[in-house]
């Protein structure tokens, strides 16, 4: 049987790169000078959408042997492309965190979140378990956006915990998008370390809540003007 994975991976990378490089929203965010985690969240959503669209466009039952996403194919085309999203997004969150640290007068370096391998494995397993790719295609749509957003949440968590360990008093603020669901409403609010429930960093499907971060020196960044008070 013809091994389709290398060619498919090449196509996915090319398609993604073209969309990413020409996306006005990506360009806008990358050109921002004053940064916040809300920007990182928007960036992650857009990068996630571009990858999800790439999968939806190029991966169809016809392009796969037996109309199935076998494990050995998923592992070689989905895993590297999801990891690539992690690389792009975590690079951006490092930029945001470096900016926040500098603005707060903190001589701390930005911490890069760890790649959540289990999340990728979970998606690969679901894909490979299904006989027909058509029945599981949805998992390469919204869950990819959700995975991308979680990289930002993980970055906030890693840096806030690092700052708390350094003796600072970081705060995280979770803000609802619209009215939100009951679970999100129960989580919205401002938290100070060490009293931050771990659910603050979690999100359900299609959740567009934002998590903001305040460095621990007592100053607050205005979310609209991005000025520090
Ligand atoms: Zn939500």
């Amino acid at each position: 049987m013809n091994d389709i994975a290398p060619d498919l991976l090449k196509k996915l990378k090319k398609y993604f790169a073209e969309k990413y490089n020409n996306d006005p929203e990506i360009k806008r965010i990358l050109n921002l000078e004053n940064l916040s985690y809300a920007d990182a969240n928007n960036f992650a959503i857009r990068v996630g959408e571009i990858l999800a669209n790439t999968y939806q466009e190029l991966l169809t039952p016809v392009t796969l042997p037996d109309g199935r996403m076998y494990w050995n194919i998923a592992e070689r085309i989905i895993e590297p492309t999801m990891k690539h999203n992690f690389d792009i997004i975590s690079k951006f969150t490092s930029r945001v965190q470096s900016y926040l640290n500098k603005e707060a007068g903190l001589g701390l370096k930005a911490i890069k979140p760890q790649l959540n391998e289990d999340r990728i494995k979970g998606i690969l397993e679901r894909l490979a378990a299904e006989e027909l790719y058509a029945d599981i295609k949805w998992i390469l749509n919204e869950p990819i956006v959700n995975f991308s957003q979680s990289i930002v949440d993980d970055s906030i968590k890693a840096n806030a915990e690092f700052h708390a360990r350094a003796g600072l008093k970081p705060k995280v603020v979770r803000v609802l998008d619209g009215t939100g669901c009951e679970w999100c409403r129960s989580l919205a609010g401002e938290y100070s370390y060490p009293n931050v429930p771990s659910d603050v960093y979690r999100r359900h499907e299609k959740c567009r809540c934002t998590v903001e971060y305040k460095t621990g020196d007592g100053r607050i960044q205005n979310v609209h003007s991005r000025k520090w008070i």
Side-chain angles (χ1 to χ4, degrees):
M1 196 174 71
N2 206 358
D3 184 8
I4 59 158
D7 188 47
L8 216 40
L9 178 61
K10 220 182 278 172
K11 280 184 183 152
L12 288 168
K13 281 183 176 169
K14 185 165 177 266
Y15 188 95
F16 176 89
E18 269 170 24
K19 297 286 171 191
Y20 177 86
N21 291 332
N22 294 300
D23 192 75
E25 173 73 351
I26 295 289
K27 274 187 194 153
R28 182 190 70 77
I29 298 170
L30 287 177
N31 283 325
L32 290 171
E33 279 178 23
N34 298 328
L35 298 168
S36 77
Y37 269 108
D39 302 318
N41 188 51
N42 289 334
F43 182 73
I45 290 172
R46 193 64 199 130
V47 175
E49 283 171 349
I50 295 172
L51 183 59
N53 289 340
T54 302
Y55 291 148
Q56 300 303 315
E57 285 296 319
L58 300 185
L59 303 178
T60 62
V62 187
T63 53
L64 300 169
D66 313 326
R68 181 170 188 165
M69 179 70 83
Y70 287 101
W71 175 269
N72 82 83
I73 294 175
E75 202 184 19
R76 288 181 296 153
I77 67 171
I78 306 301
E79 188 165 18
T81 41
M82 284 182 75
K83 274 189 180 163
H84 183 244
N85 261 27
F86 172 82
D87 291 339
I88 302 176
I89 295 165
S90 61
K91 198 172 151 199
F92 189 75
T93 58
S94 290
R95 223 182 101 190
V96 171
Q97 188 63 49
S98 299
Y99 171 82
L100 295 176
N101 288 350
K102 208 174 115 219
E103 287 295 303
L106 300 172
L108 295 170
K109 67 176 174 65
I111 305 288
K112 236 184 171 191
Q114 284 222 320
L115 171 66
N116 191 336
E117 306 254 14
D118 287 347
R119 266 188 91 131
I120 297 181
K121 284 272 161 346
I123 287 181
L124 298 186
E125 270 161 19
R126 293 287 301 277
L127 281 165
E130 206 72 44
E131 212 162 304
L132 293 175
Y133 173 66
D135 294 338
I136 191 70
K137 200 175 192 274
W138 62 267
I139 211 168
L140 295 181
N141 212 342
E142 178 61 24
I144 296 298
V145 179
N146 196 283
F147 164 77
S148 300
Q149 285 175 284
S150 76
I151 298 162
V152 178
D153 303 327
D154 288 348
S155 168
I156 299 177
K157 188 172 187 227
N159 282 283
E161 285 177 353
F162 174 58
H163 286 191
R165 282 197 302 276
L168 296 160
K169 299 253 174 300
K171 283 185 177 140
V172 285
V173 186
R174 181 165 170 138
V175 183
L176 283 175
D177 177 47
T179 48
C181 64
E182 203 179 315
W183 185 72
C184 284
R185 279 198 297 276
S186 76
L187 283 174
E190 187 175 299
Y191 304 89
S192 300
Y193 268 84
N195 302 312
V196 181
S198 58
D199 275 359
V200 167
Y201 301 108
R202 295 176 56 197
R203 54 179 74 245
H204 55 79
E205 290 261 295
K206 296 203 166 76
C207 176
R208 295 291 183 265
C209 292
T210 53
V211 181
E212 269 290 354
Y213 174 71
K214 293 178 184 176
T215 46
D217 69 336
R219 294 194 306 160
I220 292 166
Q221 188 190 29
N222 182 299
V223 287
H224 303 294
S225 69
R226 311 284 165 73
K227 291 269 184 298
W228 292 86
I229 307 155

